[in-house]
Amino acid sequence: MFQVIGGRSVQAVRLLAPRSAVLVEAVRGRKSRNDPVAKSKEGRIKVPPPVDPVEMVVLKERYSEYELIMRALRLEFKEEVLRKKYEEETGSQAEERARQEKEEHRALMDWNDQENLQMLKARILRIQKEEEEAESKTVEAAIQREEELQEFIRQKEKEILQLQEEAKNFITLENLDQRIEEALDNPKNYNFAIDKEGSVVKRTVLQ
Amino acid sequence: MPMKGRYPIRRTLEYLQKGDIIFKNKVKIMTVNYNTHGELSEGARKFVFFNIPQIQYKNPWVQIMMFKNMTPSPFLKFYLDDGEQVLVDVEGKDYKRISQHVKKILGKSEEVLQAEAQAKMQASNPANFGPKKYCLRECICEVEGQVPCPSTTPLPKEMTGKYRAKMAESQE
């Protein structure tokens, strides 16, 4: 029944100084279906406003002409919009534009393909170079390993020879007695001092 | 609020609006295949890192997908309206060169962009008053410095129609 108002109409209604906390105003269609008629409107018969026939005729004519013109204008404008849209999509210029765009697109795609081919060539070259490098590296590594192996063998051979040389001076069971005799015959004196250069400085006298 | 990410400038509106690759209407999907390691993918990685946000900002209706470490060499692939697929090899290329390349083959050219901007300006005349959907303002009362809307503040007496009518009547 009552509508709570806010916003623009608030200020105007505030001037009417309402006592209630919430601002309310009357709205059309206040009464519901089953409410009785107001006392002041009991015998009221609703009468439509009187119509002047002459005025009616004149107005009808004028209104019909006016509506005709307005309707025609509206349809004209609608048709113009539709025609423009049609021209835009399936007109002669649109076809040309589409063709030109296709041409440009094809040209660009060709250019792109060229770029891709160049990249492909560069990539093939690069891969070949890498393969060659890898191959040469493996070959080098094999050679290196071979050399190391040879070096190792040589080292071992040298050691064997050295050992053979030393073996001549070993003390065995046969010349044990002889060596003992020799050692007893030549006493060695280890009591000596050396200076920083390594030459002997002092020796004690052997008893 | 702290800055997020390694280069938070990529998240600023200014940076995004500076993107200059606007795709033609027939480009629907863009796919980037690249590797996370390797010298040859460096350009592609930088492209994804710096330029993809700009592209997506300017082309919100293009689907962009990134695939990592699926192929030995990086490439871009565009899927067009009519089923055509455009392949762009980007192995070893610099990211600036990649974006220039993409702009050249599938981006809208300068004249087209300007023509579109012109058409948009013509369609929306700021001098028109009407529904908010089509025009800037609905009534002159919305403009600063003009007479305010009588629904908010009542007009002075001299401006109301009924006062003027009364004066005109009383004068005759």
Side-chain angles (χ1 to χ4, degrees):
Chain A
M1 201 151 76
F2 289 107
Q3 210 183 41
V4 175
I5 46 173
R8 292 191 237 148
S9 37
V10 165
Q11 278 89 348
V13 178
R14 240 181 249 216
L15 300 170
L16 308 172
R19 300 282 178 241
S20 55
V22 185
L23 291 169
V24 294
E25 79 173 358
V27 174
R28 191 188 169 81
R30 226 170 46 90
K31 290 194 167 173
S32 74
R33 228 171 200 224
N34 322 2
D35 294 331
V37 177
K39 262 202 297 206
S40 55
K41 304 274 187 300
E42 242 165 30
R44 182 166 183 249
I45 303 168
K46 280 200 254 190
V47 171
V51 174
D52 190 15
V54 180
E55 187 197 10
M56 182 73 164
V57 165
V58 170
L59 274 181
K60 248 202 160 85
E61 240 188 74
R62 288 190 191 173
Y63 265 121
S64 63
E65 200 182 323
Y66 172 75
E67 275 174 16
L68 182 80
I69 294 172
M70 288 298 278
R71 211 181 5 214
L73 280 173
R74 278 198 201 104
L75 287 175
E76 275 284 337
F77 292 138
K78 277 188 201 164
E79 200 190 319
E80 191 185 325
V81 168
L82 282 174
R83 202 180 338 122
K84 262 203 184 146
K85 208 161 149 245
Y86 181 73
E87 278 283 327
E88 177 74 32
E89 287 179 7
T90 57
S92 55
Q93 271 194 355
E95 264 185 45
E96 241 192 66
R97 240 184 302 140
R99 200 171 36 84
Q100 219 171 0
E101 273 199 39
K102 244 206 268 273
E103 296 258 341
E104 281 173 15
H105 186 250
R106 204 146 24 101
L108 288 172
M109 292 300 117
D110 287 334
W111 182 75
N112 186 40
D113 286 333
Q114 293 289 325
E115 286 279 327
N116 282 352
L117 277 174
Q118 279 177 359
M119 296 290 295
L120 178 73
K121 280 189 206 134
R123 201 206 333 259
I124 286 174
L125 280 172
R126 208 181 338 115
I127 287 178
Q128 263 181 352
K129 229 182 280 184
E130 271 174 21
E131 267 179 35
E132 276 167 23
E133 265 176 40
E135 259 194 60
S136 71
K137 240 186 241 168
T138 48
V139 162
E140 268 185 39
I143 290 171
Q144 192 88 357
R145 259 176 284 136
E146 275 292 320
E147 270 203 36
E148 275 176 23
L149 199 67
Q150 294 296 326
E151 187 66 41
F152 184 72
I153 289 171
R154 253 180 276 141
Q155 196 83 10
K156 288 299 173 208
E157 277 187 16
K158 223 191 326 183
E159 277 182 21
I160 289 171
L161 285 169
Q162 209 170 354
L163 206 62
Q164 275 181 346
E165 285 291 326
E166 284 174 15
K168 289 189 187 125
N169 295 345
F170 283 171
I171 302 177
T172 62
L173 283 169
E174 285 88 14
N175 51 7
L176 180 67
D177 299 324
Q178 198 193 349
R179 289 299 273 271
I180 290 173
E181 292 287 336
E182 268 183 47
L184 286 174
D185 285 336
N186 322 340
K188 280 196 131 175
N189 179 23
Y190 295 111
N191 281 337
F192 56 86
I194 54 175
D195 61 3
K196 282 187 191 161
E197 271 77 55
S199 48
V200 175
V201 167
K202 231 175 173 179
R203 286 194 105 105
T204 57
V205 176
L206 185 61
Q207 302 285 357
Chain B
M1 191 191 301
M3 292 190 258
K4 297 191 179 172
R6 280 180 288 156
Y7 278 76
I9 192 174
R10 294 175 297 149
R11 295 163 66 114
T12 54
L13 269 179
E14 197 183 321
Y15 177 85
L16 292 173
Q17 279 158 3
K18 275 230 178 73
D20 52 357
I21 301 184
I22 300 182
F23 285 133
K24 296 185 183 146
N25 294 339
K26 50 186 170 174
V27 178
K28 297 294 178 200
I29 306 176
M30 173 173 156
T31 301
V32 186
N33 264 287
Y34 65 104
N35 296 333
T36 44
H37 295 91
E39 187 61 43
L40 299 164
S41 262
E42 184 63 32
R45 260 175 281 150
K46 281 227 166 85
F47 177 75
V48 165
F49 191 70
F50 287 116
N51 291 350
I52 292 279
Q54 289 173 323
I55 296 174
Q56 183 79 98
Y57 182 77
K58 289 283 177 174
N59 306 281
W61 290 101
V62 170
Q63 178 178 12
I64 301 181
M65 294 215 64
M66 254 68 78
F67 294 108
K68 298 182 194 53
N69 300 324
M70 296 196 87
T71 67
S73 69
F75 62 91
L76 269 59
K77 202 153 188 164
F78 298 89
Y79 297 82
L80 304 184
D81 227 345
D82 47 2
E84 190 186 337
Q85 296 177 7
V86 183
L87 173 71
V88 178
D89 195 354
V90 299
E91 193 168 15
K93 272 198 189 154
D94 194 27
Y95 73 103
K96 289 210 174 98
R97 268 199 65 196
I98 299 176
S99 82
Q100 276 166 11
H101 186 91
V102 166
K103 181 169 182 187
K104 180 163 175 193
I105 53 170
L106 287 168
K108 280 190 182 158
S109 58
E110 279 298 321
E111 313 98 51
V112 171
L113 283 173
Q114 273 176 8
E116 278 184 8
Q118 278 277 346
K120 218 160 65 139
M121 270 204 305
Q122 272 169 1
S124 64
N125 191 352
N128 290 345
F129 287 83
K132 281 282 179 203
K133 186 176 165 190
Y134 303 105
C135 314
L136 283 177
R137 303 167 286 230
E138 285 188 351
C139 176
I140 194 76
C141 66
E142 293 181 23
V143 180
E144 282 257 350
Q146 296 295 332
V147 170
C149 195
S151 60
T152 44
T153 50
L155 290 173
K157 261 265 171 333
E158 296 79 22
M159 286 206 220
T160 55
K162 71 177 176 187
Y163 179 82
R164 285 208 196 159
K166 198 156 60 99
M167 286 291 115
E169 239 179 81
S170 64
Q171 271 192 353
E172 279 164 29

